[in-house]
Amino acid sequence: MRVGVLTGGGDCPGLNAVIRAVVRKGVPGYGYEFVGFRDGWRGVLEGDTKPLDVSAVRGLLPRGGTILGSSRTNPFALDDGLARIRGTLTDLGVDALIAIGGEDTLGVAATLHEDGVQVVGVPKTIDNDLSGTDYTFGFDTAVNIATEAIDRLHTTAESHHRALIVEVMGRHAGWIALHAGMAGGANAILIPEVRFDIDQVCEWVESRFRLDYAPIIVVSEGAMPEEGDEVLMSGETDAFGHARLGGIGDWLGKEIERRTGKEARTTVLGHVQRGGTPTARDRWLATRFGLHAIDAVAAGNWGVMTALRGTDIVTVPLAEATKELKLVDPALYAEAAIFFG
């Protein structure tokens, strides 16, 4: 059997560990041949490939990013997208696909499965917002990077008696903000799932200053005030129709300065959360996902995604995993609120 592998969407620590696990088990264990598609679904549309054998995946475990490249290409935005994918797979003799990605990449995979393409998915996103799995690889690395940044900002905030805002990624899910904010001892955490009261935030800031400490506020890029819409960096959208979020941190800093008279500065962590060496936990999870993905291929278990449930790796239907985002439960958020201010 010849198996195609692709990584789509935003890059993420642990992608290379999945590729490595798939090939390291698939070649000697099942006798499969592998071909890597460059830059996600673009590579499948255009037949742009690179060979994947055991030697090609050596040394990948600690390496961030993806050796296959990635993109946010949506093949169904093209009239002939499905026909081109089928043509590529036929021309290259590819019998099955392993698609590694988030909701968009796996959403395409789910649609292809419905049309008869033999495909298995692996969940990837630093946002941890995919349904069907307790955690996605990449999330732990992003949280650790954000937590270290918050730790460092505490000292400079108190040296200059400033309020510091840390804007983290997550789109419409607040998992990174909640985990990193709690781990870093933030004085307020603002997430998309719960609209925030700017007056309450300013009260937390002033309360912190009254205790002769400088406040740290962690805000997810998709967080919104009680009144008003999400703050957009631009009106641009990607190939899947997602708006480019950002700017809430700067807006929040200006509002805090205007309402409290205290100096405020914003740090936007941005893509630094995606880069660099994956944590041990992400290497472990990505490797287990890869091993179980190739087992699903061998079993002919198509249209599924590997998932973590407790400590077990299971498979769940792609349709289930992509039908809705996994958001932070407001009750879980309320547990953290006791530390605010």
Side-chain angles (χ1 to χ4, degrees):
M1 179 181 285
R2 196 168 200 223
V3 181
V5 182
L6 65 92
T7 55
D11 69 304
C12 173
L15 283 167
N16 286 324
V18 178
I19 298 168
R20 171 181 177 270
V22 165
V23 174
R24 285 286 298 271
K25 186 171 187 178
V27 172
Y30 295 112
Y32 293 162
E33 180 185 357
F34 292 90
V35 57
F37 287 102
R38 298 179 189 271
D39 302 334
W41 294 114
R42 184 199 67 78
V44 186
L45 286 169
E46 300 176 6
D48 188 0
T49 67
K50 66 177 296 181
L52 283 180
D53 54 22
V54 173
S55 64
V57 299
R58 288 191 180 124
L60 289 187
L61 200 56
R63 184 172 168 181
T66 165
I67 61 168
L68 294 178
S70 191
S71 72
R72 297 191 185 278
T73 303
N74 181 3
F76 296 115
L78 307 173
D79 291 337
D80 61 346
L82 177 59
R84 287 172 62 181
I85 287 176
R86 283 194 166 281
T88 296
L89 298 181
T90 299
D91 292 345
L92 296 177
V94 173
D95 304 294
L97 282 175
I98 294 178
I100 311 166
E103 60 165 326
D104 295 325
T105 300
L106 297 183
V108 170
T111 302
L112 290 175
H113 168 66
E114 292 172 0
D115 200 67
V117 176
Q118 299 184 150
V119 60
V120 170
V122 176
K124 170 255 19 161
T125 171
I126 67 169
D127 302 334
N128 198 42
D129 59 358
L130 270 174
S131 296
T133 184
D134 292 348
Y135 287 97
T136 55
F137 68 87
F139 173 67
D140 187 68
T141 303
V143 168
N144 275 274
I145 290 170
T147 300
E148 181 181 357
I150 295 166
D151 288 345
R152 292 176 181 275
L153 288 171
H154 273 292
T155 57
T156 187
E158 295 189 4
S159 296
H160 292 276
H161 313 292
R162 291 171 174 160
L164 289 189
I165 296 102
V166 184
E167 182 182 313
V168 300
M169 286 181 165
R171 295 200 57 79
H172 300 292
W175 294 107
I176 296 176
L178 182 61
H179 282 241
M182 289 187 71
N187 306 109
I189 302 169
L190 310 179
I191 63 174
E193 293 86 345
V194 180
R195 284 182 177 253
F196 63 86
D197 180 349
I198 185 62
D199 290 328
Q200 176 64 76
V201 173
C202 290
E203 173 55 34
W204 286 329
V205 168
E206 292 179 320
S207 172
R208 185 71 172 171
F209 277 120
R210 285 194 295 268
L211 295 173
D212 200 27
Y213 289 102
I216 298 285
I217 300 168
V218 176
V219 57
S220 182
E221 63 185 348
M224 295 175 283
E226 287 182 342
E227 296 182 0
D229 296 325
E230 58 194 352
V231 179
L232 300 180
M233 185 178 293
S234 70
E236 299 175 356
T237 57
D238 63 20
F240 291 90
H242 301 306
R244 183 183 178 191
L245 296 177
I248 186 63
D250 286 334
W251 178 88
L252 189 62
K254 292 174 183 176
E255 284 296 304
I256 289 173
E257 285 193 341
R258 184 177 69 83
R259 292 167 181 257
T260 69
K262 304 294 185 181
E263 191 176 7
R265 293 288 186 273
T266 298
T267 299
V268 181
L269 294 185
H271 287 78
V272 70
Q273 295 159 93
R274 293 190 181 279
T277 300
T279 61
R281 178 176 175 80
D282 276 340
R283 298 183 202 188
W284 170 85
L285 183 57
T287 297
R288 293 188 72 196
F289 277 165
L291 297 176
H292 283 260
I294 197 61
D295 285 344
V297 169
N301 189 13
W302 310 117
V304 299
M305 176 191 85
T306 57
L308 179 68
R309 296 281 178 87
T311 58
D312 296 329
I313 304 296
V314 300
T315 56
V316 297
L318 280 168
E320 174 188 331
T322 58
K323 67 181 178 181
E324 61 183 4
L325 293 178
K326 181 181 68 180
L327 303 178
V328 174
D329 186 338
L332 180 61
Y333 176 71
E335 291 182 3
I338 189 173
F339 296 106
F340 295 175

